[in-house]
Amino acid sequence: MPEATALILAAGRGMRMGKRGEMTPKGLLEVGGEPLVLRSVRLLQEQGVRNVRIVTGHLADQYQDLFHNHVGVTLVHNAQYGETGSLLSVMTGLEGLDGDVVLLESDIIFERRALAPITSGVTRILMSGETRATDEVFIWSREGRQGQAVLKTMNKDISAQPEQHLGELVGITCFSAANRRVLQDVGAAHLAAHPTSDYEIVVVKTGTRVDIDCHLIEDLAWSEVDDEQMYHNAISHVWPRICENDTLYASGRRNTT
């Protein structure tokens, strides 16, 4: 059986970061003295996901400089990153892959236990509790074939569904090999009609054909870094919580739910 591959989406221009985003890709901003994507790669490989594929676009040379001799990491380039959404990056990254896929956004920082739910052959979307991050994506669930909570939809509008949302999107989603193929089929059809789409809508569409388990870690410490305010909050407030929770998780005093 082919090993799982992590696919990190790192092509975006980071326009909301202003001048900083013009000089540095969001995924290479540092928190705790380490670039976000480099930390994600390190944690993934420590978790047993040895193969990592990074989809580059904006300032791709900086990723090449950092990862050109990094064992287990390959780079693929989305040359149309400036005119398209993140869905094309997903489809570019999935091309030629076998086995399970762990899909990650590049501009997130998270504690170690965020990767603990990665399980061979399981399709799963990771959620956190309330973050009040100002750019949240809310997730609603439905009952799956085995009675479990599975993805129904996601939206930035908290009132998009009549029922209470289950959690917030973190940006880490796992697909079994079989469901990866469904994702690719759904993605190809959607991309042909909507070339500027982002990937989340195709994850939701895939969830109408297969069950995507919802895994909630209510007290997960994590942050997206999408603008200067988020970056400051990640450094000043979220990173200390990540360090504390990582210590507790390593000692067995934090679980994965």
Side-chain angles (χ1 to χ4, degrees), residues 56-107:
T56 65
H58 177 58
L59 301 175
D61 59 310
Q62 295 189 27
Y63 283 99
Q64 182 63 39
D65 290 344
L66 183 60
F67 289 105
H68 71 278
N69 61 353
H70 197 295
V71 175
V73 175
T74 58
L75 304 178
V76 295
H77 186 62
N78 174 7
Q80 297 176 268
Y81 70 91
E83 297 81 41
T84 59
S86 59
L87 177 56
L88 181 59
S89 288
V90 170
M91 299 305 293
T92 300
L94 288 174
E95 189 173 348
L97 288 186
D98 292 319
D100 297 358
V101 167
V102 183
L103 184 62
L104 286 89
E105 298 177 17
S106 66
D107 58 350

Short mmCIF file of all heavy atoms in Angstrom, two decimals, residues 56-107:
data_model
loop_
_atom_site.label_atom_id
_atom_site.label_comp_id
_atom_site.label_asym_id
_atom_site.label_seq_id
_atom_site.Cartn_x
_atom_site.Cartn_y
_atom_site.Cartn_z
N THR A 56 3.66 25.36 -4.65
CA THR A 56 4.15 26.72 -4.56
C THR A 56 3.53 27.59 -5.65
O THR A 56 2.93 27.11 -6.61
CB THR A 56 5.68 26.77 -4.69
OG1 THR A 56 6.04 26.33 -6.02
CG2 THR A 56 6.35 25.89 -3.65
N GLY A 57 3.69 28.89 -5.49
CA GLY A 57 3.23 29.87 -6.47
C GLY A 57 3.97 31.16 -6.24
O GLY A 57 5.06 31.38 -6.75
N HIS A 58 3.40 32.03 -5.40
CA HIS A 58 3.99 33.31 -5.03
C HIS A 58 5.35 33.10 -4.35
O HIS A 58 5.46 32.33 -3.39
CB HIS A 58 3.02 34.03 -4.09
CG HIS A 58 3.50 35.33 -3.55
ND1 HIS A 58 3.88 36.39 -4.35
CD2 HIS A 58 3.67 35.74 -2.26
CE1 HIS A 58 4.24 37.40 -3.59
NE2 HIS A 58 4.13 37.04 -2.32
N LEU A 59 6.38 33.75 -4.87
CA LEU A 59 7.73 33.68 -4.29
C LEU A 59 8.19 32.23 -4.12
O LEU A 59 8.77 31.85 -3.09
CB LEU A 59 7.78 34.42 -2.95
CG LEU A 59 7.40 35.92 -3.02
CD1 LEU A 59 7.37 36.52 -1.62
CD2 LEU A 59 8.39 36.69 -3.90
N ALA A 60 7.96 31.43 -5.15
CA ALA A 60 8.29 30.01 -5.09
C ALA A 60 9.77 29.75 -4.83
O ALA A 60 10.14 28.72 -4.25
CB ALA A 60 7.88 29.33 -6.40
N ASP A 61 10.63 30.68 -5.27
CA ASP A 61 12.07 30.49 -5.08
C ASP A 61 12.45 30.39 -3.60
O ASP A 61 13.42 29.71 -3.25
CB ASP A 61 12.85 31.62 -5.75
CG ASP A 61 12.46 32.99 -5.20
OD1 ASP A 61 11.25 33.29 -5.14
OD2 ASP A 61 13.37 33.77 -4.83
N GLN A 62 11.69 31.04 -2.73
CA GLN A 62 12.00 30.97 -1.30
C GLN A 62 11.74 29.57 -0.74
O GLN A 62 12.47 29.10 0.13
CB GLN A 62 11.20 32.03 -0.55
CG GLN A 62 11.59 33.46 -0.91
CD GLN A 62 10.95 34.49 0.00
OE1 GLN A 62 10.62 34.22 1.15
NE2 GLN A 62 10.76 35.69 -0.54
N TYR A 63 10.70 28.91 -1.25
CA TYR A 63 10.47 27.51 -0.85
C TYR A 63 11.57 26.61 -1.41
O TYR A 63 12.02 25.67 -0.73
CB TYR A 63 9.09 27.04 -1.32
CG TYR A 63 7.96 27.56 -0.48
CD1 TYR A 63 7.22 28.66 -0.88
CD2 TYR A 63 7.64 26.96 0.73
CE1 TYR A 63 6.17 29.15 -0.11
CE2 TYR A 63 6.61 27.44 1.51
CZ TYR A 63 5.87 28.53 1.09
OH TYR A 63 4.85 29.01 1.88
N GLN A 64 11.99 26.88 -2.63
CA GLN A 64 13.06 26.09 -3.23
C GLN A 64 14.34 26.23 -2.41
O GLN A 64 15.03 25.23 -2.14
CB GLN A 64 13.30 26.56 -4.67
CG GLN A 64 14.38 25.78 -5.41
CD GLN A 64 14.04 24.31 -5.58
OE1 GLN A 64 12.89 23.97 -5.84
NE2 GLN A 64 15.03 23.44 -5.45
N ASP A 65 14.66 27.42 -1.99
CA ASP A 65 15.86 27.64 -1.19
C ASP A 65 15.80 26.88 0.14
O ASP A 65 16.81 26.34 0.59
CB ASP A 65 16.05 29.14 -0.91
CG ASP A 65 16.42 29.93 -2.15
OD1 ASP A 65 16.84 29.30 -3.15
OD2 ASP A 65 16.28 31.17 -2.13
N LEU A 66 14.62 26.84 0.75
CA LEU A 66 14.50 26.22 2.07
C LEU A 66 14.44 24.70 2.00
O LEU A 66 14.98 24.01 2.87
CB LEU A 66 13.24 26.74 2.77
CG LEU A 66 12.98 26.26 4.20
CD1 LEU A 66 14.12 26.66 5.13
CD2 LEU A 66 11.65 26.81 4.71
N PHE A 67 13.80 24.16 0.94
CA PHE A 67 13.52 22.72 0.93
C PHE A 67 14.28 21.94 -0.16
O PHE A 67 14.00 20.76 -0.34
CB PHE A 67 12.02 22.50 0.74
CG PHE A 67 11.19 22.87 1.93
CD1 PHE A 67 10.43 24.04 1.94
CD2 PHE A 67 11.16 22.05 3.06
CE1 PHE A 67 9.65 24.38 3.04
CE2 PHE A 67 10.38 22.39 4.16
CZ PHE A 67 9.63 23.56 4.16
N HIS A 68 15.22 22.56 -0.84
CA HIS A 68 15.81 21.89 -2.01
C HIS A 68 16.51 20.58 -1.67
O HIS A 68 16.62 19.71 -2.51
CB HIS A 68 16.76 22.83 -2.75
CG HIS A 68 18.04 23.11 -2.03
ND1 HIS A 68 18.15 24.06 -1.03
CD2 HIS A 68 19.28 22.57 -2.16
CE1 HIS A 68 19.39 24.09 -0.59
NE2 HIS A 68 20.10 23.19 -1.25
N ASN A 69 16.99 20.43 -0.43
CA ASN A 69 17.65 19.18 -0.06
C ASN A 69 17.01 18.54 1.17
O ASN A 69 17.64 17.78 1.89
CB ASN A 69 19.14 19.40 0.18
CG ASN A 69 19.41 20.38 1.31
OD1 ASN A 69 18.48 20.98 1.84
ND2 ASN A 69 20.67 20.53 1.69
N HIS A 70 15.73 18.86 1.41
CA HIS A 70 15.03 18.33 2.57
C HIS A 70 14.46 16.95 2.23
O HIS A 70 13.65 16.81 1.32
CB HIS A 70 13.89 19.28 2.96
CG HIS A 70 13.36 19.08 4.34
ND1 HIS A 70 12.72 17.92 4.73
CD2 HIS A 70 13.39 19.87 5.44
CE1 HIS A 70 12.36 18.01 6.00
NE2 HIS A 70 12.75 19.19 6.46
N VAL A 71 14.88 15.94 2.96
CA VAL A 71 14.46 14.56 2.68
C VAL A 71 12.95 14.43 2.83
O VAL A 71 12.35 14.87 3.82
CB VAL A 71 15.17 13.58 3.64
CG1 VAL A 71 14.65 12.15 3.43
CG2 VAL A 71 16.68 13.63 3.43
N GLY A 72 12.32 13.83 1.82
CA GLY A 72 10.90 13.56 1.86
C GLY A 72 10.01 14.66 1.34
O GLY A 72 8.79 14.48 1.23
N VAL A 73 10.59 15.81 1.01
CA VAL A 73 9.80 16.96 0.55
C VAL A 73 10.02 17.19 -0.94
O VAL A 73 11.17 17.25 -1.40
CB VAL A 73 10.16 18.23 1.33
CG1 VAL A 73 9.41 19.45 0.76
CG2 VAL A 73 9.84 18.07 2.81
N THR A 74 8.93 17.31 -1.67
CA THR A 74 9.00 17.69 -3.08
C THR A 74 8.15 18.94 -3.29
O THR A 74 7.19 19.18 -2.56
CB THR A 74 8.48 16.57 -4.01
OG1 THR A 74 7.13 16.25 -3.64
CG2 THR A 74 9.35 15.32 -3.89
N LEU A 75 8.53 19.73 -4.28
CA LEU A 75 7.81 20.94 -4.61
C LEU A 75 7.19 20.82 -5.99
O LEU A 75 7.83 20.33 -6.92
CB LEU A 75 8.75 22.15 -4.58
CG LEU A 75 9.54 22.40 -3.29
CD1 LEU A 75 10.45 23.61 -3.47
CD2 LEU A 75 8.62 22.61 -2.10
N VAL A 76 5.95 21.25 -6.12
CA VAL A 76 5.30 21.35 -7.43
C VAL A 76 4.78 22.77 -7.54
O VAL A 76 4.36 23.38 -6.55
CB VAL A 76 4.17 20.32 -7.62
CG1 VAL A 76 4.72 18.91 -7.63
CG2 VAL A 76 3.11 20.48 -6.55
N HIS A 77 4.80 23.31 -8.74
CA HIS A 77 4.50 24.74 -8.92
C HIS A 77 3.16 24.93 -9.63
O HIS A 77 2.90 24.30 -10.66
CB HIS A 77 5.62 25.40 -9.74
CG HIS A 77 5.48 26.88 -9.84
ND1 HIS A 77 5.51 27.71 -8.74
CD2 HIS A 77 5.29 27.70 -10.92
CE1 HIS A 77 5.37 28.96 -9.14
NE2 HIS A 77 5.22 28.98 -10.45
N ASN A 78 2.35 25.79 -9.07
CA ASN A 78 1.11 26.22 -9.71
C ASN A 78 1.40 27.54 -10.43
O ASN A 78 1.38 28.61 -9.82
CB ASN A 78 0.00 26.40 -8.66
CG ASN A 78 -1.26 26.99 -9.24
OD1 ASN A 78 -1.40 27.16 -10.46
ND2 ASN A 78 -2.21 27.32 -8.37
N ALA A 79 1.67 27.46 -11.71
CA ALA A 79 2.06 28.64 -12.47
C ALA A 79 0.93 29.64 -12.63
O ALA A 79 1.17 30.82 -12.93
CB ALA A 79 2.58 28.22 -13.85
N GLN A 80 -0.31 29.21 -12.40
CA GLN A 80 -1.46 30.09 -12.56
C GLN A 80 -1.98 30.62 -11.22
O GLN A 80 -3.13 31.04 -11.11
CB GLN A 80 -2.58 29.35 -13.29
CG GLN A 80 -2.24 28.93 -14.70
CD GLN A 80 -3.36 28.12 -15.33
OE1 GLN A 80 -3.39 26.90 -15.27
NE2 GLN A 80 -4.32 28.82 -15.92
N TYR A 81 -1.13 30.62 -10.20
CA TYR A 81 -1.56 30.98 -8.86
C TYR A 81 -2.17 32.39 -8.79
O TYR A 81 -3.03 32.66 -7.96
CB TYR A 81 -0.40 30.88 -7.87
CG TYR A 81 0.67 31.94 -8.05
CD1 TYR A 81 0.61 33.14 -7.36
CD2 TYR A 81 1.74 31.73 -8.92
CE1 TYR A 81 1.59 34.12 -7.53
CE2 TYR A 81 2.71 32.70 -9.09
CZ TYR A 81 2.64 33.89 -8.39
OH TYR A 81 3.60 34.84 -8.56
N GLY A 82 -1.73 33.28 -9.66
CA GLY A 82 -2.21 34.65 -9.61
C GLY A 82 -3.60 34.85 -10.15
O GLY A 82 -4.26 35.85 -9.84
N GLU A 83 -4.08 33.92 -10.97
CA GLU A 83 -5.38 34.07 -11.61
C GLU A 83 -6.41 33.06 -11.14
O GLU A 83 -7.56 33.09 -11.58
CB GLU A 83 -5.25 33.92 -13.13
CG GLU A 83 -4.37 34.97 -13.81
CD GLU A 83 -2.90 34.66 -13.71
OE1 GLU A 83 -2.54 33.48 -13.87
OE2 GLU A 83 -2.12 35.58 -13.45
N THR A 84 -6.02 32.14 -10.26
CA THR A 84 -6.92 31.07 -9.85
C THR A 84 -7.01 31.01 -8.33
O THR A 84 -6.27 31.70 -7.62
CB THR A 84 -6.44 29.72 -10.39
OG1 THR A 84 -5.11 29.46 -9.90
CG2 THR A 84 -6.41 29.71 -11.91
N GLY A 85 -7.91 30.16 -7.84
CA GLY A 85 -8.04 29.95 -6.40
C GLY A 85 -7.27 28.73 -5.95
O GLY A 85 -6.52 28.10 -6.72
N SER A 86 -7.47 28.36 -4.70
CA SER A 86 -6.71 27.26 -4.10
C SER A 86 -7.09 25.90 -4.67
O SER A 86 -6.33 24.93 -4.52
CB SER A 86 -6.88 27.26 -2.59
OG SER A 86 -8.25 27.12 -2.23
N LEU A 87 -8.25 25.78 -5.33
CA LEU A 87 -8.62 24.49 -5.90
C LEU A 87 -7.62 24.02 -6.94
O LEU A 87 -7.27 22.83 -6.99
CB LEU A 87 -10.03 24.56 -6.51
CG LEU A 87 -10.50 23.28 -7.20
CD1 LEU A 87 -10.46 22.07 -6.27
CD2 LEU A 87 -11.91 23.48 -7.77
N LEU A 88 -7.13 24.93 -7.78
CA LEU A 88 -6.14 24.51 -8.78
C LEU A 88 -4.87 24.02 -8.10
O LEU A 88 -4.25 23.06 -8.58
CB LEU A 88 -5.82 25.67 -9.73
CG LEU A 88 -4.80 25.33 -10.83
CD1 LEU A 88 -5.29 24.17 -11.71
CD2 LEU A 88 -4.49 26.55 -11.69
N SER A 89 -4.49 24.61 -6.99
CA SER A 89 -3.33 24.13 -6.26
C SER A 89 -3.56 22.70 -5.74
O SER A 89 -2.65 21.86 -5.80
CB SER A 89 -3.00 25.06 -5.09
OG SER A 89 -2.47 26.28 -5.54
N VAL A 90 -4.76 22.44 -5.25
CA VAL A 90 -5.07 21.09 -4.80
C VAL A 90 -4.96 20.10 -5.96
O VAL A 90 -4.32 19.04 -5.84
CB VAL A 90 -6.48 21.02 -4.18
CG1 VAL A 90 -6.91 19.57 -3.94
CG2 VAL A 90 -6.51 21.79 -2.86
N MET A 91 -5.56 20.43 -7.07
CA MET A 91 -5.56 19.53 -8.22
C MET A 91 -4.15 19.34 -8.76
O MET A 91 -3.76 18.24 -9.17
CB MET A 91 -6.49 20.04 -9.31
CG MET A 91 -7.95 20.17 -8.87
SD MET A 91 -8.64 18.63 -8.22
CE MET A 91 -8.64 17.63 -9.70
N THR A 92 -3.35 20.41 -8.77
CA THR A 92 -1.96 20.31 -9.20
C THR A 92 -1.18 19.40 -8.27
O THR A 92 -0.40 18.55 -8.72
CB THR A 92 -1.31 21.72 -9.23
OG1 THR A 92 -2.03 22.55 -10.14
CG2 THR A 92 0.14 21.65 -9.65
N GLY A 93 -1.40 19.55 -6.98
CA GLY A 93 -0.67 18.74 -6.01
C GLY A 93 -1.07 17.29 -6.01
O GLY A 93 -0.25 16.41 -5.74
N LEU A 94 -2.33 17.00 -6.30
CA LEU A 94 -2.82 15.62 -6.27
C LEU A 94 -2.37 14.81 -7.50
O LEU A 94 -2.38 13.58 -7.45
CB LEU A 94 -4.34 15.60 -6.20
CG LEU A 94 -4.98 16.02 -4.88
CD1 LEU A 94 -6.50 16.08 -5.02
CD2 LEU A 94 -4.59 15.07 -3.75
N GLU A 95 -1.98 15.48 -8.54
CA GLU A 95 -1.65 14.78 -9.78
C GLU A 95 -0.53 13.76 -9.55
O GLU A 95 0.54 14.08 -9.07
CB GLU A 95 -1.22 15.78 -10.85
CG GLU A 95 -1.06 15.16 -12.22
CD GLU A 95 -0.80 16.20 -13.31
OE1 GLU A 95 -0.97 17.40 -13.03
OE2 GLU A 95 -0.42 15.79 -14.42
N GLY A 96 -0.83 12.50 -9.91
CA GLY A 96 0.16 11.45 -9.81
C GLY A 96 0.31 10.82 -8.44
O GLY A 96 1.12 9.90 -8.28
N LEU A 97 -0.44 11.28 -7.45
CA LEU A 97 -0.32 10.72 -6.11
C LEU A 97 -1.14 9.44 -5.97
O LEU A 97 -2.21 9.30 -6.55
CB LEU A 97 -0.78 11.73 -5.06
CG LEU A 97 0.11 12.93 -4.77
CD1 LEU A 97 -0.46 13.73 -3.60
CD2 LEU A 97 1.54 12.51 -4.47
N ASP A 98 -0.62 8.51 -5.17
CA ASP A 98 -1.34 7.32 -4.77
C ASP A 98 -1.48 7.35 -3.25
O ASP A 98 -0.79 8.08 -2.56
CB ASP A 98 -0.60 6.05 -5.18
CG ASP A 98 -0.56 5.86 -6.69
OD1 ASP A 98 -1.60 6.12 -7.33
OD2 ASP A 98 0.50 5.47 -7.22
N GLY A 99 -2.37 6.53 -2.73
CA GLY A 99 -2.48 6.41 -1.28
C GLY A 99 -3.28 7.54 -0.65
O GLY A 99 -3.89 8.37 -1.32
N ASP A 100 -3.27 7.54 0.69
CA ASP A 100 -3.98 8.56 1.45
C ASP A 100 -3.31 9.92 1.26
O ASP A 100 -2.11 10.02 0.96
CB ASP A 100 -3.96 8.22 2.94
CG ASP A 100 -4.69 6.92 3.27
OD1 ASP A 100 -5.25 6.29 2.36
OD2 ASP A 100 -4.68 6.55 4.46
N VAL A 101 -4.09 10.97 1.50
CA VAL A 101 -3.58 12.33 1.41
C VAL A 101 -4.02 13.11 2.65
O VAL A 101 -5.17 13.01 3.08
CB VAL A 101 -4.07 13.05 0.14
CG1 VAL A 101 -3.82 14.56 0.22
CG2 VAL A 101 -3.38 12.49 -1.09
N VAL A 102 -3.08 13.86 3.20
CA VAL A 102 -3.38 14.79 4.29
C VAL A 102 -3.23 16.20 3.71
O VAL A 102 -2.14 16.60 3.33
CB VAL A 102 -2.43 14.60 5.48
CG1 VAL A 102 -2.82 15.55 6.61
CG2 VAL A 102 -2.43 13.16 5.96
N LEU A 103 -4.32 16.92 3.64
CA LEU A 103 -4.35 18.24 3.02
C LEU A 103 -4.21 19.31 4.09
O LEU A 103 -4.99 19.34 5.04
CB LEU A 103 -5.66 18.41 2.26
CG LEU A 103 -5.89 19.67 1.44
CD1 LEU A 103 -4.86 19.77 0.33
CD2 LEU A 103 -7.30 19.66 0.87
N LEU A 104 -3.19 20.17 3.95
CA LEU A 104 -2.95 21.23 4.92
C LEU A 104 -2.83 22.59 4.23
O LEU A 104 -2.28 22.68 3.13
CB LEU A 104 -1.64 21.01 5.69
CG LEU A 104 -1.56 19.95 6.76
CD1 LEU A 104 -1.13 18.63 6.15
CD2 LEU A 104 -0.56 20.38 7.83
N GLU A 105 -3.30 23.60 4.92
CA GLU A 105 -3.03 24.97 4.50
C GLU A 105 -1.67 25.39 5.04
O GLU A 105 -1.24 24.93 6.09
CB GLU A 105 -4.15 25.89 5.00
CG GLU A 105 -5.51 25.50 4.42
CD GLU A 105 -6.65 26.34 4.95
OE1 GLU A 105 -6.38 27.43 5.52
OE2 GLU A 105 -7.81 25.92 4.79
N SER A 106 -0.99 26.27 4.31
CA SER A 106 0.39 26.62 4.68
C SER A 106 0.48 27.64 5.78
O SER A 106 1.49 27.72 6.49
CB SER A 106 1.13 27.16 3.45
OG SER A 106 0.57 28.40 3.03
N ASP A 107 -0.57 28.45 5.96
CA ASP A 107 -0.48 29.60 6.84
C ASP A 107 -1.13 29.35 8.20
O ASP A 107 -1.78 30.24 8.76
CB ASP A 107 -1.11 30.83 6.17
CG ASP A 107 -2.58 30.61 5.79
OD1 ASP A 107 -3.04 29.45 5.86
OD2 ASP A 107 -3.24 31.60 5.41
#
